[in-house]
Amino acid sequence: LVVAAAGNEVREGVNLDVTPAYPVCQNGANGENWVMGVTSVDLADQRASFSNFGRACVDVSAPGISVYSTVVYRPTIEGFDRPYSGWWTGTSVAAPQVSGAAALLWSLNPSFSLRQVQDIIKEPGRDIDRLNVDIGGLLGRRLDLHASLAQAARTAARPAALGRPRG
């Protein structure tokens, strides 16, 4: 699975359905969705103004405004003397949250297929269209790891349930 940031613009994000970017819009030879595109939203689940969007390229949204994170730590160099810093913003800080969700899902069940992991991340996500009426349907659903883990548990249980004899 490849997870890619949808990209940022200086002022206003662009519709990737009109102006595709790569790798986020890359599909397989037969149109398979090989790349999970991620755009960023704020704490109110509204699209970050700079974030790109688009139905064909963006699969899911994740928080991408003021994300506190690790940085290069070199105590002897000014500006790098704190191991945690910054309030990072962008689709590039939203995408790792989706990558982490995928890794967590596969760690729980390594037999999940690519498609299953994509669906388990996307389907139970929060519907944020009503909060983004001007571009509804172009942001995917908002990552909801708790809901994804619950769906993963149900998905993992399904094959065993199907294999039980009737009686």
PDB file of all heavy atoms in Angstrom, residues 103-128:
ATOM      1  N   ALA A 103      -0.570   0.279   8.961  1.00  0.00           N
ATOM      2  CA  ALA A 103       0.403  -0.598   9.614  1.00  0.00           C
ATOM      3  C   ALA A 103      -0.205  -1.278  10.836  1.00  0.00           C
ATOM      4  O   ALA A 103       0.006  -2.473  11.067  1.00  0.00           O
ATOM      5  CB  ALA A 103       1.642   0.206  10.008  1.00  0.00           C
ATOM      6  N   LEU A 104      -0.968  -0.518  11.610  1.00  0.00           N
ATOM      7  CA  LEU A 104      -1.619  -1.090  12.789  1.00  0.00           C
ATOM      8  C   LEU A 104      -2.611  -2.186  12.387  1.00  0.00           C
ATOM      9  O   LEU A 104      -2.651  -3.263  12.992  1.00  0.00           O
ATOM     10  CB  LEU A 104      -2.318   0.005  13.583  1.00  0.00           C
ATOM     11  CG  LEU A 104      -3.000  -0.420  14.874  1.00  0.00           C
ATOM     12  CD1 LEU A 104      -2.015  -1.089  15.826  1.00  0.00           C
ATOM     13  CD2 LEU A 104      -3.648   0.784  15.532  1.00  0.00           C
ATOM     14  N   LEU A 105      -3.390  -1.930  11.348  1.00  0.00           N
ATOM     15  CA  LEU A 105      -4.363  -2.930  10.888  1.00  0.00           C
ATOM     16  C   LEU A 105      -3.669  -4.213  10.435  1.00  0.00           C
ATOM     17  O   LEU A 105      -4.090  -5.316  10.775  1.00  0.00           O
ATOM     18  CB  LEU A 105      -5.227  -2.356   9.768  1.00  0.00           C
ATOM     19  CG  LEU A 105      -6.188  -1.252  10.199  1.00  0.00           C
ATOM     20  CD1 LEU A 105      -6.797  -0.564   8.983  1.00  0.00           C
ATOM     21  CD2 LEU A 105      -7.262  -1.793  11.125  1.00  0.00           C
ATOM     22  N   TRP A 106      -2.585  -4.068   9.665  1.00  0.00           N
ATOM     23  CA  TRP A 106      -1.861  -5.263   9.215  1.00  0.00           C
ATOM     24  C   TRP A 106      -1.171  -5.964  10.370  1.00  0.00           C
ATOM     25  O   TRP A 106      -0.992  -7.184  10.353  1.00  0.00           O
ATOM     26  CB  TRP A 106      -0.867  -4.928   8.107  1.00  0.00           C
ATOM     27  CG  TRP A 106      -1.429  -5.188   6.743  1.00  0.00           C
ATOM     28  CD1 TRP A 106      -2.061  -6.315   6.313  1.00  0.00           C
ATOM     29  CD2 TRP A 106      -1.405  -4.308   5.630  1.00  0.00           C
ATOM     30  NE1 TRP A 106      -2.439  -6.193   4.993  1.00  0.00           N
ATOM     31  CE2 TRP A 106      -2.042  -4.963   4.545  1.00  0.00           C
ATOM     32  CE3 TRP A 106      -0.908  -3.035   5.423  1.00  0.00           C
ATOM     33  CZ2 TRP A 106      -2.188  -4.402   3.298  1.00  0.00           C
ATOM     34  CZ3 TRP A 106      -1.056  -2.468   4.177  1.00  0.00           C
ATOM     35  CH2 TRP A 106      -1.689  -3.144   3.131  1.00  0.00           C
ATOM     36  N   SER A 107      -0.755  -5.217  11.392  1.00  0.00           N
ATOM     37  CA  SER A 107      -0.135  -5.877  12.544  1.00  0.00           C
ATOM     38  C   SER A 107      -1.165  -6.714  13.305  1.00  0.00           C
ATOM     39  O   SER A 107      -0.822  -7.729  13.894  1.00  0.00           O
ATOM     40  CB  SER A 107       0.520  -4.855  13.480  1.00  0.00           C
ATOM     41  OG  SER A 107      -0.447  -4.156  14.244  1.00  0.00           O
ATOM     42  N   LEU A 108      -2.415  -6.284  13.280  1.00  0.00           N
ATOM     43  CA  LEU A 108      -3.479  -7.043  13.935  1.00  0.00           C
ATOM     44  C   LEU A 108      -3.880  -8.267  13.128  1.00  0.00           C
ATOM     45  O   LEU A 108      -4.266  -9.288  13.693  1.00  0.00           O
ATOM     46  CB  LEU A 108      -4.703  -6.145  14.158  1.00  0.00           C
ATOM     47  CG  LEU A 108      -4.492  -4.987  15.123  1.00  0.00           C
ATOM     48  CD1 LEU A 108      -5.693  -4.070  15.118  1.00  0.00           C
ATOM     49  CD2 LEU A 108      -4.194  -5.513  16.520  1.00  0.00           C
ATOM     50  N   ASN A 109      -3.802  -8.143  11.789  1.00  0.00           N
ATOM     51  CA  ASN A 109      -4.183  -9.255  10.932  1.00  0.00           C
ATOM     52  C   ASN A 109      -3.378  -9.195   9.630  1.00  0.00           C
ATOM     53  O   ASN A 109      -3.808  -8.567   8.660  1.00  0.00           O
ATOM     54  CB  ASN A 109      -5.682  -9.230  10.620  1.00  0.00           C
ATOM     55  CG  ASN A 109      -6.136 -10.482   9.900  1.00  0.00           C
ATOM     56  OD1 ASN A 109      -5.334 -11.209   9.321  1.00  0.00           O
ATOM     57  ND2 ASN A 109      -7.435 -10.733   9.924  1.00  0.00           N
ATOM     58  N   PRO A 110      -2.219  -9.841   9.599  1.00  0.00           N
ATOM     59  CA  PRO A 110      -1.368  -9.806   8.406  1.00  0.00           C
ATOM     60  C   PRO A 110      -2.019 -10.400   7.162  1.00  0.00           C
ATOM     61  O   PRO A 110      -1.534 -10.185   6.056  1.00  0.00           O
ATOM     62  CB  PRO A 110      -0.129 -10.620   8.810  1.00  0.00           C
ATOM     63  CG  PRO A 110      -0.145 -10.640  10.295  1.00  0.00           C
ATOM     64  CD  PRO A 110      -1.592 -10.562  10.705  1.00  0.00           C
ATOM     65  N   SER A 111      -3.114 -11.142   7.312  1.00  0.00           N
ATOM     66  CA  SER A 111      -3.751 -11.749   6.140  1.00  0.00           C
ATOM     67  C   SER A 111      -4.712 -10.788   5.430  1.00  0.00           C
ATOM     68  O   SER A 111      -5.242 -11.137   4.381  1.00  0.00           O
ATOM     69  CB  SER A 111      -4.493 -13.029   6.539  1.00  0.00           C
ATOM     70  OG  SER A 111      -5.597 -12.721   7.368  1.00  0.00           O
ATOM     71  N   PHE A 112      -4.933  -9.588   5.975  1.00  0.00           N
ATOM     72  CA  PHE A 112      -5.771  -8.622   5.275  1.00  0.00           C
ATOM     73  C   PHE A 112      -5.164  -8.309   3.912  1.00  0.00           C
ATOM     74  O   PHE A 112      -3.949  -8.139   3.782  1.00  0.00           O
ATOM     75  CB  PHE A 112      -5.893  -7.312   6.049  1.00  0.00           C
ATOM     76  CG  PHE A 112      -6.873  -7.328   7.188  1.00  0.00           C
ATOM     77  CD1 PHE A 112      -6.667  -6.529   8.294  1.00  0.00           C
ATOM     78  CD2 PHE A 112      -8.017  -8.113   7.159  1.00  0.00           C
ATOM     79  CE1 PHE A 112      -7.559  -6.512   9.355  1.00  0.00           C
ATOM     80  CE2 PHE A 112      -8.919  -8.107   8.213  1.00  0.00           C
ATOM     81  CZ  PHE A 112      -8.690  -7.308   9.309  1.00  0.00           C
ATOM     82  N   SER A 113      -6.008  -8.225   2.904  1.00  0.00           N
ATOM     83  CA  SER A 113      -5.546  -7.851   1.565  1.00  0.00           C
ATOM     84  C   SER A 113      -5.398  -6.332   1.487  1.00  0.00           C
ATOM     85  O   SER A 113      -5.882  -5.600   2.363  1.00  0.00           O
ATOM     86  CB  SER A 113      -6.559  -8.312   0.514  1.00  0.00           C
ATOM     87  OG  SER A 113      -7.755  -7.546   0.625  1.00  0.00           O
ATOM     88  N   LEU A 114      -4.771  -5.877   0.430  1.00  0.00           N
ATOM     89  CA  LEU A 114      -4.631  -4.446   0.179  1.00  0.00           C
ATOM     90  C   LEU A 114      -6.006  -3.783   0.179  1.00  0.00           C
ATOM     91  O   LEU A 114      -6.228  -2.772   0.848  1.00  0.00           O
ATOM     92  CB  LEU A 114      -3.924  -4.215  -1.160  1.00  0.00           C
ATOM     93  CG  LEU A 114      -3.912  -2.793  -1.692  1.00  0.00           C
ATOM     94  CD1 LEU A 114      -3.058  -1.898  -0.817  1.00  0.00           C
ATOM     95  CD2 LEU A 114      -3.410  -2.776  -3.119  1.00  0.00           C
ATOM     96  N   ARG A 115      -6.926  -4.365  -0.559  1.00  0.00           N
ATOM     97  CA  ARG A 115      -8.277  -3.803  -0.667  1.00  0.00           C
ATOM     98  C   ARG A 115      -8.984  -3.771   0.686  1.00  0.00           C
ATOM     99  O   ARG A 115      -9.676  -2.817   1.012  1.00  0.00           O
ATOM    100  CB  ARG A 115      -9.076  -4.619  -1.692  1.00  0.00           C
ATOM    101  CG  ARG A 115     -10.500  -4.186  -1.879  1.00  0.00           C
ATOM    102  CD  ARG A 115     -10.543  -2.786  -2.459  1.00  0.00           C
ATOM    103  NE  ARG A 115     -11.911  -2.342  -2.542  1.00  0.00           N
ATOM    104  CZ  ARG A 115     -12.453  -1.818  -3.607  1.00  0.00           C
ATOM    105  NH1 ARG A 115     -11.733  -1.653  -4.698  1.00  0.00           N
ATOM    106  NH2 ARG A 115     -13.697  -1.435  -3.599  1.00  0.00           N
ATOM    107  N   GLN A 116      -8.814  -4.830   1.481  1.00  0.00           N
ATOM    108  CA  GLN A 116      -9.447  -4.850   2.799  1.00  0.00           C
ATOM    109  C   GLN A 116      -8.932  -3.719   3.678  1.00  0.00           C
ATOM    110  O   GLN A 116      -9.716  -3.046   4.334  1.00  0.00           O
ATOM    111  CB  GLN A 116      -9.212  -6.194   3.499  1.00  0.00           C
ATOM    112  CG  GLN A 116     -10.074  -7.318   2.982  1.00  0.00           C
ATOM    113  CD  GLN A 116      -9.755  -8.621   3.666  1.00  0.00           C
ATOM    114  OE1 GLN A 116      -8.613  -9.069   3.683  1.00  0.00           O
ATOM    115  NE2 GLN A 116     -10.780  -9.254   4.242  1.00  0.00           N
ATOM    116  N   VAL A 117      -7.626  -3.511   3.684  1.00  0.00           N
ATOM    117  CA  VAL A 117      -7.068  -2.445   4.513  1.00  0.00           C
ATOM    118  C   VAL A 117      -7.562  -1.083   4.033  1.00  0.00           C
ATOM    119  O   VAL A 117      -7.959  -0.236   4.836  1.00  0.00           O
ATOM    120  CB  VAL A 117      -5.521  -2.512   4.560  1.00  0.00           C
ATOM    121  CG1 VAL A 117      -4.921  -1.268   5.187  1.00  0.00           C
ATOM    122  CG2 VAL A 117      -5.091  -3.752   5.330  1.00  0.00           C
ATOM    123  N   GLN A 118      -7.581  -0.874   2.723  1.00  0.00           N
ATOM    124  CA  GLN A 118      -8.108   0.391   2.198  1.00  0.00           C
ATOM    125  C   GLN A 118      -9.554   0.596   2.640  1.00  0.00           C
ATOM    126  O   GLN A 118      -9.918   1.679   3.109  1.00  0.00           O
ATOM    127  CB  GLN A 118      -8.020   0.414   0.669  1.00  0.00           C
ATOM    128  CG  GLN A 118      -6.619   0.544   0.137  1.00  0.00           C
ATOM    129  CD  GLN A 118      -6.574   0.413  -1.373  1.00  0.00           C
ATOM    130  OE1 GLN A 118      -7.258  -0.410  -1.971  1.00  0.00           O
ATOM    131  NE2 GLN A 118      -5.754   1.238  -1.995  1.00  0.00           N
ATOM    132  N   ASP A 119     -10.367  -0.422   2.502  1.00  0.00           N
ATOM    133  CA  ASP A 119     -11.776  -0.312   2.865  1.00  0.00           C
ATOM    134  C   ASP A 119     -11.966  -0.108   4.366  1.00  0.00           C
ATOM    135  O   ASP A 119     -12.831   0.663   4.791  1.00  0.00           O
ATOM    136  CB  ASP A 119     -12.554  -1.542   2.399  1.00  0.00           C
ATOM    137  CG  ASP A 119     -12.716  -1.609   0.885  1.00  0.00           C
ATOM    138  OD1 ASP A 119     -12.469  -0.585   0.209  1.00  0.00           O
ATOM    139  OD2 ASP A 119     -13.080  -2.685   0.382  1.00  0.00           O
ATOM    140  N   ILE A 120     -11.175  -0.817   5.168  1.00  0.00           N
ATOM    141  CA  ILE A 120     -11.290  -0.702   6.619  1.00  0.00           C
ATOM    142  C   ILE A 120     -10.900   0.702   7.079  1.00  0.00           C
ATOM    143  O   ILE A 120     -11.415   1.205   8.085  1.00  0.00           O
ATOM    144  CB  ILE A 120     -10.448  -1.788   7.323  1.00  0.00           C
ATOM    145  CG1 ILE A 120     -11.077  -3.166   7.089  1.00  0.00           C
ATOM    146  CG2 ILE A 120     -10.300  -1.502   8.804  1.00  0.00           C
ATOM    147  CD1 ILE A 120     -10.193  -4.324   7.512  1.00  0.00           C
ATOM    148  N   ILE A 121     -10.024   1.354   6.359  1.00  0.00           N
ATOM    149  CA  ILE A 121      -9.662   2.735   6.692  1.00  0.00           C
ATOM    150  C   ILE A 121     -10.736   3.696   6.206  1.00  0.00           C
ATOM    151  O   ILE A 121     -11.154   4.603   6.926  1.00  0.00           O
ATOM    152  CB  ILE A 121      -8.288   3.094   6.102  1.00  0.00           C
ATOM    153  CG1 ILE A 121      -7.188   2.348   6.864  1.00  0.00           C
ATOM    154  CG2 ILE A 121      -8.057   4.612   6.140  1.00  0.00           C
ATOM    155  CD1 ILE A 121      -5.815   2.474   6.254  1.00  0.00           C
ATOM    156  N   LYS A 122     -11.222   3.496   4.990  1.00  0.00           N
ATOM    157  CA  LYS A 122     -12.142   4.468   4.379  1.00  0.00           C
ATOM    158  C   LYS A 122     -13.581   4.358   4.868  1.00  0.00           C
ATOM    159  O   LYS A 122     -14.199   5.367   5.230  1.00  0.00           O
ATOM    160  CB  LYS A 122     -12.126   4.328   2.851  1.00  0.00           C
ATOM    161  CG  LYS A 122     -10.809   4.713   2.227  1.00  0.00           C
ATOM    162  CD  LYS A 122     -10.848   4.742   0.720  1.00  0.00           C
ATOM    163  CE  LYS A 122     -11.275   3.472   0.067  1.00  0.00           C
ATOM    164  NZ  LYS A 122     -11.161   3.518  -1.401  1.00  0.00           N
ATOM    165  N   GLU A 123     -14.135   3.170   4.846  1.00  0.00           N
ATOM    166  CA  GLU A 123     -15.575   3.007   5.073  1.00  0.00           C
ATOM    167  C   GLU A 123     -16.078   3.511   6.427  1.00  0.00           C
ATOM    168  O   GLU A 123     -17.112   4.169   6.483  1.00  0.00           O
ATOM    169  CB  GLU A 123     -15.987   1.555   4.852  1.00  0.00           C
ATOM    170  CG  GLU A 123     -15.934   1.170   3.389  1.00  0.00           C
ATOM    171  CD  GLU A 123     -16.185  -0.313   3.155  1.00  0.00           C
ATOM    172  OE1 GLU A 123     -16.437  -1.055   4.137  1.00  0.00           O
ATOM    173  OE2 GLU A 123     -16.111  -0.731   1.989  1.00  0.00           O
ATOM    174  N   PRO A 124     -15.408   3.196   7.540  1.00  0.00           N
ATOM    175  CA  PRO A 124     -15.951   3.659   8.823  1.00  0.00           C
ATOM    176  C   PRO A 124     -15.542   5.088   9.180  1.00  0.00           C
ATOM    177  O   PRO A 124     -15.898   5.595  10.247  1.00  0.00           O
ATOM    178  CB  PRO A 124     -15.367   2.669   9.833  1.00  0.00           C
ATOM    179  CG  PRO A 124     -14.057   2.285   9.240  1.00  0.00           C
ATOM    180  CD  PRO A 124     -14.290   2.283   7.743  1.00  0.00           C
ATOM    181  N   GLY A 125     -14.840   5.744   8.291  1.00  0.00           N
ATOM    182  CA  GLY A 125     -14.417   7.123   8.568  1.00  0.00           C
ATOM    183  C   GLY A 125     -15.609   8.045   8.751  1.00  0.00           C
ATOM    184  O   GLY A 125     -16.732   7.732   8.361  1.00  0.00           O
ATOM    185  N   ARG A 126     -15.345   9.176   9.336  1.00  0.00           N
ATOM    186  CA  ARG A 126     -16.413  10.152   9.588  1.00  0.00           C
ATOM    187  C   ARG A 126     -16.779  10.885   8.300  1.00  0.00           C
ATOM    188  O   ARG A 126     -15.918  11.372   7.590  1.00  0.00           O
ATOM    189  CB  ARG A 126     -15.954  11.163  10.621  1.00  0.00           C
ATOM    190  CG  ARG A 126     -15.749  10.551  11.973  1.00  0.00           C
ATOM    191  CD  ARG A 126     -15.406  11.590  12.993  1.00  0.00           C
ATOM    192  NE  ARG A 126     -15.054  10.932  14.252  1.00  0.00           N
ATOM    193  CZ  ARG A 126     -14.400  11.514  15.212  1.00  0.00           C
ATOM    194  NH1 ARG A 126     -14.026  12.764  15.098  1.00  0.00           N
ATOM    195  NH2 ARG A 126     -14.113  10.858  16.313  1.00  0.00           N
ATOM    196  N   ASP A 127     -18.070  10.969   8.055  1.00  0.00           N
ATOM    197  CA  ASP A 127     -18.578  11.709   6.898  1.00  0.00           C
ATOM    198  C   ASP A 127     -18.480  13.200   7.231  1.00  0.00           C
ATOM    199  O   ASP A 127     -19.151  13.681   8.147  1.00  0.00           O
ATOM    200  CB  ASP A 127     -20.021  11.315   6.610  1.00  0.00           C
ATOM    201  CG  ASP A 127     -20.587  12.001   5.381  1.00  0.00           C
ATOM    202  OD1 ASP A 127     -19.927  12.907   4.831  1.00  0.00           O
ATOM    203  OD2 ASP A 127     -21.698  11.636   4.978  1.00  0.00           O
ATOM    204  N   ILE A 128     -17.634  13.913   6.494  1.00  0.00           N
ATOM    205  CA  ILE A 128     -17.429  15.340   6.774  1.00  0.00           C
ATOM    206  C   ILE A 128     -17.969  16.230   5.660  1.00  0.00           C
ATOM    207  O   ILE A 128     -17.707  17.426   5.632  1.00  0.00           O
ATOM    208  CB  ILE A 128     -15.938  15.646   7.040  1.00  0.00           C
ATOM    209  CG1 ILE A 128     -15.066  15.239   5.845  1.00  0.00           C
ATOM    210  CG2 ILE A 128     -15.474  14.952   8.315  1.00  0.00           C
ATOM    211  CD1 ILE A 128     -13.608  15.650   5.966  1.00  0.00           C
TER     212      ILE A 128
END
